[in-house]
Amino acid sequence: MSQSSPRPDGRADDQLRPMSFERDFTEMAAGSCLVTFGRTRVLCTASVGDGVPPWLRNTGRGWVTAEYSMLPGSSPERIRRRTSGRDQEIQRLIARSLRAVVDLEAMPEMELTVDCDVLQADGGTRTASICGGFVALHDAFTRLVAAGDLPASPIIEELAAISVGIVDGAPRLDLPYVEDSTAEVDFNVVMTGSGRFVEVQGTAEGQAFERSQLDALVDLATGGIADIVEAQRALLATPPAARA
Amino acid sequence: MSQSSPRPDGRADDQLRPMSFERDFTEMAAGSCLVTFGRTRVLCTASVGDGVPPWLRNTGRGWVTAEYSMLPGSSPERIRRRTSGRDQEIQRLIARSLRAVVDLEAMPEMELTVDCDVLQADGGTRTASICGGFVALHDAFTRLVAAGDLPASPIIEELAAISVGIVDGAPRLDLPYVEDSTAEVDFNVVMTGSGRFVEVQGTAEGQAFERSQLDALVDLATGGIADIVEAQRALLATPPAARA
Amino acid sequence: MSQSSPRPDGRADDQLRPMSFERDFTEMAAGSCLVTFGRTRVLCTASVGDGVPPWLRNTGRGWVTAEYSMLPGSSPERIRRRTSGRDQEIQRLIARSLRAVVDLEAMPEMELTVDCDVLQADGGTRTASICGGFVALHDAFTRLVAAGDLPASPIIEELAAISVGIVDGAPRLDLPYVEDSTAEVDFNVVMTGSGRFVEVQGTAEGQAFERSQLDALVDLATGGIADIVEAQRALLATPPAARA
Amino acid sequence: MSQSSPRPDGRADDQLRPMSFERDFTEMAAGSCLVTFGRTRVLCTASVGDGVPPWLRNTGRGWVTAEYSMLPGSSPERIRRRTSGRDQEIQRLIARSLRAVVDLEAMPEMELTVDCDVLQADGGTRTASICGGFVALHDAFTRLVAAGDLPASPIIEELAAISVGIVDGAPRLDLPYVEDSTAEVDFNVVMTGSGRFVEVQGTAEGQAFERSQLDALVDLATGGIADIVEAQRALLATPPAARA
Amino acid sequence: MSQSSPRPDGRADDQLRPMSFERDFTEMAAGSCLVTFGRTRVLCTASVGDGVPPWLRNTGRGWVTAEYSMLPGSSPERIRRRTSGRDQEIQRLIARSLRAVVDLEAMPEMELTVDCDVLQADGGTRTASICGGFVALHDAFTRLVAAGDLPASPIIEELAAISVGIVDGAPRLDLPYVEDSTAEVDFNVVMTGSGRFVEVQGTAEGQAFERSQLDALVDLATGGIADIVEAQRALLATPPAARA
Amino acid sequence: MSQSSPRPDGRADDQLRPMSFERDFTEMAAGSCLVTFGRTRVLCTASVGDGVPPWLRNTGRGWVTAEYSMLPGSSPERIRRRTSGRDQEIQRLIARSLRAVVDLEAMPEMELTVDCDVLQADGGTRTASICGGFVALHDAFTRLVAAGDLPASPIIEELAAISVGIVDGAPRLDLPYVEDSTAEVDFNVVMTGSGRFVEVQGTAEGQAFERSQLDALVDLATGGIADIVEAQRALLATPPAARA
């Protein structure tokens, strides 16, 4: 896509890092997925709770929420255990995104919490959390249907997300930390399986950007997300293992 | 711009609410501005502190940060005094945006804090905070130069922001609460005086949106921001009153 | 009243600073008043909440409480956003004082909160909060009666407060910061419209004081409060604007 | 002093409850005193710390501060372990009062903390804390002089405090809980050994009070405090036991 | 028991410090005991609360919990007022131990809280808290029976605790601070009146210990606890004073 | 070892669950180990920080500390993200145990933090954390030596821990949750590679226990720990992979 310098890991500018979804990496929560993009690894679990937040009581609607945290040892410099402003912003993004593909009206008054705990951080942890959190949530709903607690899964369609940015003047897909930390512009894009947008968050890191750059980055993200959705579809074509 | 239903306050879809910047509404902080967009009113002050955060010590660079809060009586339903996740997300956005138009290298090791306290909330409080916070910060830097504490103002260019959204299927500029609460898509856009982008944050409230909608909303915001920048330029052409 | 040195702003020792009550400065809360004493400015709002604190449930009585805070930019040195011990002490004083002129038995089980946010601080912020908070509370009750939510206003009489102190050996009324910070003795006095006492709080700042000084300060405050009550009566003779 | 109903414990209206100061009830802190007024018992200790608060560094002045807390089992209804607004207000009063009789300029940069822990609460805990805290602080300074850490004690004169109130229309001295909870007016008065005022805090509990009532209560407190100071003088005429 | 150096206070290695239980040291809580082991003094109170924690509601069982805190002046170096990790660990130990000798099934849904506030600390504060907390709890239950709130006391048998340790190579009973701080091994043992174990907590302070040392320490503790239980039995043979 | 009912997973009473140590499961921290005992899985990382806690500054000694947390999805019922009293107690145990096998005098003033994050909880999480934390710490020290930051590893010997308990009257080794929750007595034992004791913590869950039971449980733990140490030795005979 560009004549710029080669990427540190040799990828093409529009190529994703090696990606995997390890389903049921743990078995206590209703859904669980260890998602990997390159060296970034996030353990996502979906837990089913009693009841809903106060403002939804007696509305007959359900709720999906999310929490995000980095383990202290997930980064070369140890991270303190506290919910930072950045963590809160990310978990609000994850939760909003997941709710965009769930029909809350089709759930009874129950709350599912998707926990995204970053085991290893190398850029793109929030978008990996959305991709893996969707798998964990999907499997939790499938098991609730199997257990007779829901008539049908309220999932509407797939959900995936990716980071894109401008590095050395070139738009690049799926930035690892070494690129992310020097990017001039940084976008996180969340889209549905049908190719529509749920969130677009773009930030000028160094200097402000042009409309043409905005357009190029959105194009790049659109392509990457289509690849992720394809992988999710292949995985989810098989239902998760039955629970005792 | 559209054939949709008329807006509650009779404005055209691409028209801003009545806007004003009341400079030096208070006189204790180095810069102060009461900014008004319709019924939304935010008191922005810029205070000068000693020293910089730990990670900037001995770098010879300055810092600009921001805090955002809604007064309890700013809303029909009283708001509790606590920094919510939403508040933290907004103050991170304000601070990042302000830093985009300040040359931190051209400041000594001092920190300016821009406080944005919402006196009355009727939609668009975060974008109003950015517009008014820029004025307060600009005047604080001007006074620091006048007092001999800075050789020249590190402000690079103007900064403004606006919300846009899709209501009843039509893209609309500068949404009051009554429109914001029913918008299908909600964007906050921050741009510089020269028309480049600092932040683009778009969220699907109800259902995911198309690329064409994204494009229309960014166009609409670009026009509104140009109007705000013009008002800022007119105001700031005159320096702030001298301080004893 | 004394032969001491002239006051910094040229006032007589028994003269108030220029005072004003700007009613409905904001329009979201049930009552709102921006009160000014010299350069001290406090935005007071009265919000109506559902229900009462736990210990009043099922007693058939209402409640009035207060919160007090200084905006970070209200002072030449920026103030951190946290409720200090001083803030708590002040808000307890404001709430206790307001309740002294409200017949809580004549209210149903509802709670009104009077928020006093100091926009600019130049001495006497707690007494200004009481004077302005009374106006906001009065208007909130008037609107509750107009809306049919209360049979009659439970306000018993007016409430006002002022600071007095001994500066350079002379008793003085309504101290700005420059006098307050060097006062030898500092009193805050709260009285009703009928001239009775609600609170008397006197503190020796430098050295302990004599009974004769106590008597002179209470006399001085009594006169100042009568002037404030007169201004409140003139304002409140007209009911607040009707709300849509 | 009055024709009103007899007091629950049979005292005259101007009579103190049985009072005692048990010096060195504990032996770890530099000064310690278990003070008793009737059933109210407060353990006061004075501890010597390194250095002073940040705002006093390099001023060559010392500091005295105080903390106040009620033990959970000090009251018939268990009290939660947390610093309430009331606790903060009381500890600010205790600290301010103690500093009024200490020449901070005559101390090096050291900080003494007087902790007042209420073992049993039956009214008048804040005034008992001031009376007992003074004894603990006095002994701590005496031991610092004995140890060669101070050239001379910076204590200027004695300090004592008492509560007075109007119960059943009559002014009464030193109220136990049963009277305090029904008092119409409640005053706490702090005075020095030479009979001057440090703090006067009067509150209308039920209805506002007249100037003549204010005068009568201040007279009553003045008499009670003179009796307490006499007891303190008798005790402190003997120095505290030497420490190993 | 050993040829090692003499103990600082001249005791035999298997001898307790002078011990006392001062019943009803305070009179507000349902049970109260000031327990003394040498210079260690802990005020233990047992308060009766309404209801039980959420997880016990509607089970028909009662609950006993405990809190532990050191007063700031209890130690030569002042202790900050906050619940440290050490405090939490100790209060969990106290509560667990007390529940081991209470038949919770024989209580209605009420909660007793045993507060252990260390007035003076010289080693062994947690074991003293258990010994004195048992007395306070015992008396609180006796008074609940006397008041008709319980059919019979749910206390099963006595409870006592002691510390033992290896100092200078010798096992020693009931360590004061000067021994505790140099002990190579430190055990806290909790036992019932019938000589069975409730808790055994042993820690290598300096270097790991042998099985034979473990055995010797458990033997030593068993003997000391038997002496404490005897003292408790003598005291509790008489019921506590009746309350008005 | 006993005639009691068979164990739920068919093991002998003195048999460990299947155990594994997955070295370098993550690669950001200096040492990392995913430890497994049956279904219990804990990710342990050892991070190297700058400097030491304040009380060790300028002593020339290093420090080792630990933190313990359960991921929200590690349990069938979701766990809230907060440091409970139980968590604090456990992390104090882990840290104390690790320090028992490190020669802190042989480290410069650096601090290593061992984070133990429970990915899946099925009993014995604290003892698994100690076993896996030792491996992570060992590898971190080895890498510090390889990088020239330490002259030699300060590790003295191996460290392992296991839980034992009495279930259905029989002493059993390495309890999973289903046994742990019904155990009458619960011990956690920490020992060194040379077979000496570091910690012994025994608790009567239901009723108090006899000395003979204490002895049997300590014997059982001693055997299990020897097996774990053997596995650690086999693993650590090979140095960890070199880091770039």
Side-chain angles (χ1 to χ4, degrees), chain D residues 25-29 39 41 43 45 47 67 69 71-76 78 81 113 115 117 119-122, chain E residues 25-29 39 41 43 45 47 67 69 71-76 78 81 113 115 117 119-122:
Chain D
F25 182 75
T26 59
E27 301 172 11
M28 295 296 183
R39 302 218 305 165
R41 305 176 78 182
L43 178 55
T45 56
S47 299
E67 295 194 1
S69 185
L71 292 204
S74 64
S75 182
R78 185 175 180 273
R81 288 178 197 273
T113 302
D115 286 285
D117 286 273
L119 304 191
Q120 189 159 275
D122 188 29
Chain E
F25 182 76
T26 59
E27 300 171 13
M28 295 295 183
R39 302 218 304 164
R41 305 175 79 183
L43 177 56
T45 56
S47 299
E67 295 193 1
S69 185
L71 292 203
S74 64
S75 183
R78 185 175 180 273
R81 288 178 198 274
T113 302
D115 286 285
D117 286 274
L119 304 191
Q120 189 159 277
D122 188 30

Side-chain angles (χ1 to χ4, degrees), chain C residues 40-117:
Chain C
T40 289
R41 305 177 78 183
V42 185
L43 178 55
C44 306
T45 56
S47 299
V48 183
D50 300 332
V52 285
W55 74 90
L56 283 180
R57 276 181 206 143
N58 303 318
T59 63
R61 297 176 56 196
W63 193 242
V64 171
T65 187
E67 295 193 3
Y68 167 95
S69 185
M70 295 178 73
L71 292 203
S74 63
S75 182
E77 189 160 347
R78 186 175 180 273
I79 293 166
R80 289 178 49 208
R81 288 178 199 274
R82 56 180 195 95
T83 303
S84 67
R86 173 185 173 273
D87 293 341
Q88 287 203 43
E89 185 170 330
I90 291 175
Q91 66 197 17
R92 286 161 52 86
L93 168 68
I94 298 170
R96 240 175 14 236
S97 297
L98 291 169
R99 285 194 294 268
V101 294
V102 174
D103 181 358
L104 301 171
E105 311 276 352
M107 292 171 62
E109 286 194 15
M110 57 168 50
E111 181 176 39
L112 275 79
T113 302
V114 175
D115 286 285
C116 302
D117 286 273

